[in-house]
Amino acid sequence: TQLLEQSPQFLSIQEGENLTVYCNSSSVFSSLQWYRQEPGEGPVLLVTVVTGGEVKKLKRLTFQFGDARKDSSLHITAAQPGDTGLYLCAGGGGAQKLVFGQGTRLTINP
Amino acid sequence: DTGVSQNPRHKITKRGQNVTFRCDPISEHNRLYWYRQTLGQGPEFLTYFQNEAQLEKSRLLSDRFSAERPKGSFSTLEIQRTEQGDSAMYLCASSFPGLGLDNEQFFGPGTRLTVL
């Protein structure tokens, strides 16, 4: 069974600080996606990483896929209150389904 | 708006009643997925369709759950004899392999089910 573990599960920081969220597994994934979810809404796709060692940037967000394609990280620079939300990593779980981590609930305080 | 849509957004029902949810995927997407998300957890896979064929069902999908996609477009998820443990957010997603990256799925806003 493929599992993804995210850490930390909760993170509360001040506006302007930097942070990193981790997504780890003992399994190899063909790709990993990062989503952000607001309360009462569905997840919104932020990025997909495919190649081991790949780094993608989305404004102040930097996503990295581990060399062995078993882990990924999300780094946010100079966090803003608008970054508040639930961040989910998800990997290809075979037969096209996605396996999700339990999420990191991020709160950015003004 | 050409994203994934789901109806209703909220459903409150009494235990033992049947409920049906609808999902309309992005129009050119031939794969459609159902997930369930409980409070404080990530979504869990329930089932998926390629066109009208249901290709995989999770063990989470008990006999009380049935999903259809009769014409390969919209899909319905029915829960019979609802139980309080069915209370969750039911999410639909769609994708089109070959359009963008494999496994890249786009989610609808979800249907929040509360069973009293």
Side-chain angles (χ1 to χ4, degrees), chain B residues 63-102:
Chain B
D63 291 344
R64 297 184 297 106
F65 288 70
S66 62
E68 295 183 343
R69 196 183 182 197
K71 297 182 180 179
S73 56
F74 73 91
S75 174
T76 58
L77 177 68
E78 181 183 16
I79 309 175
Q80 296 183 326
R81 305 180 303 281
T82 52
E83 301 173 356
Q84 288 183 326
D86 297 331
S87 295
M89 174 78 93
Y90 289 84
L91 294 163
C92 176
S94 70
S95 72
F96 186 87
L99 197 76
L101 295 171
D102 195 26

Side-chain angles (χ1 to χ4, degrees), chain A residues 31-33 45 47-50 54 56 96, chain B residues 95-106:
Chain A
S31 65
L32 274 178
Q33 286 87 50
L45 181 65
V47 78
T48 300
V49 286
V50 178
E54 182 176 6
K56 282 192 173 178
Q96 311 310 319
Chain B
S95 72
F96 186 87
L99 197 76
L101 295 171
D102 195 26
N103 266 335
E104 201 163 64
Q105 298 177 18
F106 297 88

Side-chain angles (χ1 to χ4, degrees), chain A residues 1 30-31 33 35 37 40-43 45 47-50 56 86 88 91-98 100-103 105, chain B residues 9-10 31 33 35 37 40-45 48 50 56 59 89 91 95 97 101-110 112:
Chain A
T1 303
S30 58
S31 65
Q33 286 87 50
Y35 291 84
Q37 187 176 24
E41 299 293 331
L45 181 65
V47 78
T48 300
V49 286
V50 178
K56 282 192 173 178
L86 179 68
L88 294 159
Q96 311 310 319
K97 65 188 176 189
L98 288 177
F100 281 85
Q102 75 273 44
R105 187 161 299 282
Chain B
R9 293 292 310 276
H10 304 274
R31 286 184 179 165
Y33 311 80
Y35 292 83
Q37 185 177 26
Q41 300 296 320
E44 295 176 292
F45 170 79
Y48 101 96
Q50 177 152 322
E56 185 175 350
R59 289 174 298 172
M89 174 78 93
L91 294 163
S95 72
L101 295 171
D102 195 26
N103 266 335
E104 201 163 64
Q105 298 177 18
F106 297 88
F107 283 80
R112 166 75 62 192

Side-chain angles (χ1 to χ4, degrees), chain A residues 9-13 19 21 36 74 76 79-81 83-87 104-108:
Chain A
Q9 289 191 38
F10 300 93
L11 185 58
S12 180
I13 63 171
L19 67 107
V21 174
R36 187 170 82 188
L74 158 60
I76 301 179
Q80 298 178 0
D83 296 327
T84 292
L86 179 68
Y87 288 82
T104 293
R105 187 161 299 282
L106 176 64
T107 304
I108 310 300

